[in-house]
Amino acid sequence: MKNRKWLGLFTLLMGILLLAACSYGADDSTQGAKGDGEPAAEGEPKKGGKVSIPIVADPTFNPWHPNAYAESNVVNRVLFSGLTQTGENLEPIPDLAEEWETSEDELEWTFHLRDDVLWHDGEQFTADDVAFTFNEIVLNEELGANNTSYFGQLKEVQVVDDYTVKFIMESPVAALPAYLSFNTEIIPEHIFAGQDPWDLTSFNKENPVGTGAFKLKSYTSGQNVVLERNEDFYGDIALLDEVEYKVLADANTHVAQLLSGELSIFALDDLSAIDRIEGAENVTVEARETPRFFWIIANQEVEKYQDVRVRQAILHSIDRQNIIDTVLKGYGTIADAGIAPALKDYYTDDVTRYDYDPERAKELLAEAGWEDTDGDGVVDKDGEPFTIDFEIGLQGDLEAISQMVQQYLVKTGFDVNLNAMEWNSMIQEVVVNRDYEMSLNWWRYPADPDLSAYMHSRSVAGNNIPAYQNPELDKLLDAGAQTSDVEERKEIYVDAQKLMAEELPYIFLWYPQEAQVRATNLKGVPNLAFGDALHHIHKWYIEE
Amino acid sequence: MLRFLMNRLGQSIILLLIVTIITFFLINLAPGGPSSTMRMDATAEERQAMVEKLGLDEPVMVRYIEWIGNAFQGDLGTSFNSGEPVTQRILERLPYTIELTIFTILISVILGIFLGVLSAIKRGKAQDHVINFFSVVGLSVPAFWLGLMLILLFSINLGWLPSSGVGSRGEEFSLWGYVSHLILPVLILTTTVLPNIVRFTRSSMLEVISQNYIRTARAKGAKESIVLYVHALRNALIPIITIIGMLIPRLLSGAVITEAIFGWTGIGTLIIEAARGRDYPLVMGVTVVITIVVVVCNLLVDLLYSRVDPRVKNV
């Protein structure tokens, strides 16, 4: 009798374990069926409710702080405002600046500021705040502030009157309004004047004062940041009551909380979970275009990669569509140049294309003098086999992608040593020491086609990591930076893309799309990447 | 007794020194530093400015001596990433881990001893087999997998429990809000220590039960429950106390994984954060605190040992 009771308990426990393992899969299929039939109609915007957004670590409430990474950007974008912001076509639109114009020689930009902006502590926002942010923080080299590379051509910011500032440039930068919308929010002079901006913990970690649509309500380290509606906001007052950022280090937890309704919106990095999410009934997935491109770089300091035919052969060797379909689950389009389709005004696909063609790759290698003379499956030249040291950082799907690339390259006849290392080590080796042959990663850039920072020969010490130098490309990039006329720039950047595709300063892979996941009842989110959609968070609302 | 304590104190300080030296050099000599955790597109100048600001251009040896000098005066330095004092950051997080640990130990000890004794006296019977089976399962199943499975079941499919967080601390207190957030993390941590306690209690009990004095106790007609719980268990407890002391370090390392899965803002998530962000002072601070906890636990076990077993004298 007693034994039977124990047996019952045992069976029950086993049952629970089995349920945990199986019920998930079963649930999935029924939810998928329901989710597909959901009507897409949106109701009237309504006030109230809150959204929850995951961040992977504690944020720093200062957009310029060297420790402000992605988790800080998504908070700072809502707390603070920039002079411009990203509009629905990725063009810069007014924010703190109502309008702007540039001088004939494009060396002086005048920004007319709003006169109705209050800081969260009630102080008036003026031109002095803008001048302070740029002159004292951005241009102070000792501070090493974030994102200063966009302002390398900025000489100074002059205050014309309380609500007008002038940006004085060393050389023309047509992308300036776009740069001013990208993690370059204005911080208050009346708090920072005379302080060490990085040591001011009372602001950076405790009590930030911004101008954005939401202000800080509470912050618990390791737990969450809660923002509440700023009733004195200069634009349309936000509809949501609160925005909560939850500190959750683990990406699996993000997915779990999204499915259980505890998180509202984020950009999904690890696409392996996408099938589960697409099947869920209370969650919507949207593909969003972003100004990003994935690349392979071949160090131009190493002789064998200086031959463009070798770079072209590498690109012909890789079945990129297959990688997009398998690893990226279809969220991306093949790239043969660097300007992403997200930049609708400038993108063109009328460039040299590199289809998956291992035979063509072998021909190109043979033209360049690399042939498999000893029959060991590896091409060689002057008795030297073509070995590639391929160093990548472990993050997201980079490893999975690199393994596939390795296999494709081996098939063509390269001897590839893949060395996947911890992210910080990779930065040290590849970015800081430039001690590498080949690497794979991606760039995310402000919504402007000016890619000088990544491939102009003057950026070799900066983010031109492959150290690619081509006077012809430099000329085009300079020309594009010197005019603000969209039509004119379009012509220039179409030529630049053709040249990029021919010369492959980067071995371009694809333009990834962002898989934006959000609770279905969250409405009013514009058709933008998650980071950019945050600029419009005052329009978001919860549908009952 | 005093001499024993002094002795132990001396040993502990040497141990602490060794641990800090190893940790300090390991993290500092690992490739990449705080300046490489910056965004990928940070320029060389931005990185250099950070290195100088943090004083990382000094040799490692110099920095260690400076750090240990300050540490002995109770100053663990300032966190690279948040700019707040390391001590403050640890004190903020420590209570959460202690809370988790206390509940886990309480549940594991009570349940563990009960199940262990049951398993021993029902040796070879169904109960023993069931308990053994689950002990092995508990020992073998990785905490991160079980954690995710339980989240799937209780948070997503059933919607009974929150999948993570520590509940609405600071807001209006609700007992369910408090308990519901504790259940899953405590359950996971319990699975990492409970099986050990069960198995130790079982073998310890079995050994004691076969002793002569137990037979004598039975022979003089003592009630079976008195024999088991007064004569046998008291003697069986001695090795169990040791194992509990040894399980505390294990619990702390288990907390790292558990806290990460359940978004529990304790010392475990703090050290992950610190290691990821190459926040050297914070890594060192947490290491020191954990080492002290482990050393103190071991000392307590030794002291308790002599209380439970008068034959053991700490001299």
Side-chain angles (χ1 to χ4, degrees), chain A residues 458-527:
Chain A
R458 102 172 97 77
S459 310
V460 166
N463 285 326
N464 183 351
I465 301 175
Y468 178 79
Q469 306 189 43
N470 181 338
E472 215 182 321
L473 184 59
D474 289 353
K475 216 188 282 171
L476 283 169
L477 291 172
D478 286 337
Q482 272 159 15
T483 171
S484 321
D485 185 85
V486 172
E487 281 310 308
E488 230 176 289
R489 295 187 87 200
K490 187 175 173 159
E491 269 176 45
I492 296 167
Y493 285 114
V494 165
D495 288 346
Q497 286 173 79
K498 289 182 196 248
L499 187 62
M500 284 178 214
E502 262 163 48
E503 291 293 325
L504 299 178
Y506 284 72
I507 297 166
F508 301 101
L509 295 173
W510 50 78
Y511 305 111
Q513 286 169 322
E514 170 185 295
Q516 192 178 102
V517 293
R518 66 174 165 86
T520 307
N521 66 354
L522 173 60
K523 306 286 183 186
V525 182
N527 179 13

Side-chain angles (χ1 to χ4, degrees), chain A residues 199-400:
Chain A
D199 286 346
L200 196 62
T201 314
S202 59
F203 186 99
N204 299 334
K205 280 289 169 182
E206 286 159 20
N207 188 22
V209 173
T211 47
F214 287 85
K215 55 186 180 182
L216 188 75
K217 184 182 179 197
S218 70
Y219 164 49
T220 317
S221 165
Q223 213 173 318
N224 65 1
V225 179
V226 182
L227 310 185
E228 62 185 351
R229 188 194 299 128
N230 173 12
E231 301 288 353
D232 299 321
F233 186 53
Y234 52 87
D236 294 333
I237 306 293
L239 295 164
L240 297 166
D241 290 334
E242 285 183 357
V243 179
E244 182 193 23
Y245 296 90
K246 291 182 167 187
V247 182
L248 300 166
D250 185 58
N252 290 314
T253 314
H254 296 181
V255 174
Q257 294 219 355
L258 176 75
L259 294 174
S260 66
E262 294 164 272
L263 284 174
S264 316
I265 183 168
F266 58 93
L268 187 73
D269 281 333
D270 179 7
L271 289 159
S272 60
I274 196 79
D275 295 335
R276 284 195 285 153
I277 296 172
E278 279 174 344
E281 108 188 85
N282 53 347
V283 178
T284 305
V285 187
E286 313 226 37
R288 305 287 201 204
E289 298 289 349
T290 56
R292 283 196 290 167
F293 63 96
F294 269 71
W295 41 255
I296 290 175
I297 48 176
N299 194 343
Q300 295 302 299
E301 304 284 315
V302 179
E303 204 193 330
K304 58 191 172 195
Y305 301 111
Q306 288 168 359
D307 191 326
V308 66
R309 288 168 296 193
V310 169
R311 302 198 293 275
Q312 290 171 335
I314 290 175
L315 200 45
H316 271 305
S317 307
I318 305 167
D319 187 348
R320 290 176 284 171
Q321 193 58 50
N322 188 31
I323 302 180
I324 292 172
D325 291 342
T326 51
V327 184
L328 277 72
K329 308 282 178 186
Y331 285 84
T333 44
I334 286 181
D336 290 303
I339 295 171
L343 299 166
K344 296 184 194 78
D345 287 338
Y346 304 100
Y347 169 76
T348 177
D349 60 0
D350 182 20
V351 296
T352 314
R353 308 305 304 242
Y354 296 87
D355 297 329
Y356 172 50
D357 190 347
E359 288 315 309
R360 177 79 192 121
K362 281 178 190 157
E363 281 169 34
L364 282 163
L365 278 179
E367 283 172 33
W370 294 94
E371 269 176 300
D372 184 10
T373 52
D374 52 7
D376 64 350
V378 178
V379 295
D380 49 71
K381 182 176 173 178
D382 309 329
E384 282 289 310
F386 203 129
T387 54
I388 300 178
D389 286 324
F390 187 17
E391 304 197 330
I392 58 143
L394 288 170
Q395 196 185 66
D397 36 27
L398 291 182
E399 193 184 19

Side-chain angles (χ1 to χ4, degrees), chain B residues 194-253:
Chain B
L194 180 65
N196 290 290
I197 299 183
V198 172
R199 291 164 77 88
F200 257 84
T201 311
R202 180 176 181 271
S203 60
S204 177
M205 262 312 259
L206 283 178
E207 204 185 305
V208 173
I209 287 176
S210 63
Q211 298 285 329
N212 287 336
Y213 61 85
I214 296 293
R215 200 182 50 201
T216 314
R218 282 197 179 119
K220 76 176 188 194
K223 266 201 266 173
E224 183 64 18
S225 59
I226 301 237
V227 171
L228 285 178
Y229 292 101
V230 178
H231 296 269
L233 185 59
R234 182 144 186 213
N235 287 300
L237 271 181
I238 298 165
I240 297 171
I241 287 170
T242 331
I243 192 76
I244 291 169
M246 281 160 61
L247 284 175
I248 286 176
R250 183 166 177 163
L251 210 51
L252 285 173
S253 61

